[in-house]
Amino acid sequence: MPQHHEQVSDASSPHHEIVTLLNNVEQLENMLEETRMAAETSIRKLPSLSGLRHRRNPLEDNPYFHPSNGFYITPSDVILAQVAYDLSAQSQSRVAYHRAGPRREIMYEPSAVKAAIVTCGGLCPGMNTVIRELVVGLWELYGVREIYGIPAGYRGFYSMEAVKLDPKAVHDWHKKGGTVLATSRGGFHLQKIVDAIHLNGYNQVYIIGGDGTMRGAVEIFKEISLRKLEVGITVIPKTVDNDVGIIDRSFGFQTAVEMAQEAISAAHVEAESAVNGIGLVKLMGRSTGHIALHATLSSRDVDCCLIPEMDFYLEGKGGLFEFLEKRLKERGHAVLVVAEGAGQEMIPRNESQKQERDESGNAVFLDVGVWFKSVLKAWWEREHPDELFTVKYIDPTYMIRAVPANATDNLYCTLLAHSAIHGVMAGYTGFVPGPINGNYAYIPLEEVAQTKNQVNTSDHKWAWVRSVTNQPDFETNVKC
């Protein structure tokens, strides 16, 4: 019967020493690579409150949480701003942001917290969800009991009575569109706002707003810092247009795209049911065309998508009229989607209209949809005076803004609100919470306020739009 001898490794054998040496070399190379990456990574510094005392996080005693290894975020946990790199490049600098989430220690005594929540600017699906989750999160996660809603935007700090909030008061707010607190544009008086924050004893301020609101929040943060007030300031980014930079997307955007498709579908039915019918849909997007772009890609009924980032022209070879005439001959109908900021420079204005500004200081746009409808009719009457032609214009702006958030945006609003709470309770201030490449981070407020998220008409996504619609490449045609 054959005998089996167990082979015993000799720890002192040359082979074992070589393997050990190779492992050590590999570990050393990994350490050097990590050191090199750390040296090439620029971590954006977050402002923090220095006059507060470290305290044990009450989540340790929360029956719904079981903190374990990895539960609490440490200062070395970061999120890279960019995840795709060219490995052939010799040296590449990396930008990173502190990761969002609960810290092992907090800087506020929950019983001493007096939090203020304010909504500013235009309506957006999900605003009430953010308010609700801020209230419930502060109450249930950290035991905060003094939570107040500021009515009517920034002006509410100094001109209106705050509303006491608790989980019972806000329990069904996520099912409602708009903002129960009410909102407004303008009303930004820096000294009055900061005076009110100080006099009312607010030491945490949660601001829900878009780019204009953020610029105001930067001023509030600077004034509070100048006065050496221990007040945490954070902004939850809100813009249905999805024009806030750095973060992956703004809340309410996916709901807006979903609702926009319903308008496009209606325009398609109207156009298809008419002789030489054009369905014209105006979608939100003052300076960026993300809603128009994503709704076009999702719908597949759109024949031409016009956005603020792209110049276009009407007359002549390769122009919009030539394209639409060809489309009508081939199919008998066409659907045109235009973002509100597209073609504004083409609309005739008098001197008064050129100078007009809204309460936030933005130039007042004329209705590009109404203008488009008139120029389309004039073009057809000029070129085909005896033929039938119909333009059905649909503007779903206020329907989209006013609806409750869908399931995806509701979940997103909860994560944003909780991220904001964890950051403020940890003593950070002057920051914006948001996802970067799918991971939640804290971004310095001033950096976000200075950054725009615009459609890149040179990238693959815009090429995809053109392949779906078969619309002209207006910019190339102009150069030719």
Side-chain angles (χ1 to χ4, degrees), residues 77-239:
D77 289 328
V78 297
I79 304 299
L80 290 176
Q82 183 179 335
V83 294
Y85 289 92
D86 180 3
L87 293 178
S88 65
Q90 290 187 352
S91 179
Q92 301 177 78
S93 60
R94 296 173 174 85
V95 173
Y97 300 94
H98 287 282
R99 187 179 171 193
R103 269 54 179 174
R104 187 175 295 278
E105 291 184 326
I106 62 173
M107 300 293 284
Y108 283 92
E109 170 56 49
S111 62
V113 170
K114 190 174 183 181
I117 302 169
V118 63
T119 54
C120 304
L123 296 184
C124 176
M127 292 175 78
N128 281 326
T129 304
V130 175
I131 300 168
R132 180 191 188 277
E133 297 309 314
L134 285 171
V135 173
V136 174
L138 284 165
W139 191 285
E140 301 290 353
L141 298 178
Y142 287 99
V144 174
R145 295 295 181 263
E146 292 286 306
I147 310 169
Y148 294 86
I150 308 299
Y154 278 139
R155 57 171 42 88
F157 276 108
Y158 57 83
S159 65
M160 302 184 76
E161 194 73 27
V163 180
K164 187 78 181 289
L165 300 175
D166 57 43
K168 185 177 180 181
V170 302
H171 77 284
D172 64 345
W173 284 18
H174 62 296
K175 299 177 183 178
K176 302 176 181 179
T179 165
V180 178
L181 290 180
T183 185
S184 69
R185 298 185 188 276
F188 185 81
H189 296 285
L190 179 60
Q191 299 302 323
K192 289 183 180 180
I193 292 170
V194 178
D195 286 347
I197 291 171
H198 181 49
L199 291 173
N200 286 292
Y202 299 127
N203 52 11
Q204 293 187 4
V205 178
Y206 297 87
I207 302 169
I208 304 167
D211 54 354
T213 300
M214 285 190 194
R215 289 192 293 272
V218 169
E219 297 305 310
I220 293 172
F221 164 69
K222 288 180 177 178
E223 181 64 21
I224 283 175
S225 301
L226 190 65
R227 297 190 191 187
K228 301 188 185 307
L229 303 177
E230 299 293 347
V231 180
I233 301 287
T234 184
V235 179
I236 291 88
K238 175 230 61 162
T239 166

Side-chain angles (χ1 to χ4, degrees), residues 323-336:
F323 171 73
L324 289 176
E325 181 157 11
K326 181 181 177 183
R327 209 55 151 195
L328 291 174
K329 284 182 180 178
E330 291 174 350
R331 300 185 181 181
H333 68 278
V335 175
L336 177 62

Side-chain angles (χ1 to χ4, degrees), residues 126-138 141 174 236 249 251-252 405-422 433 440:
M127 292 175 78
N128 281 326
T129 304
V130 175
I131 300 168
R132 180 191 188 277
E133 297 309 314
L134 285 171
V135 173
V136 174
L138 284 165
L141 298 178
H174 62 296
I236 291 88
R249 71 178 192 279
F251 75 80
N406 65 12
T408 302
D409 272 327
N410 261 330
L411 175 59
Y412 181 35
C413 290
T414 300
L415 295 172
L416 283 174
H418 286 194
S419 295
I421 293 168
H422 292 315
Y440 286 75

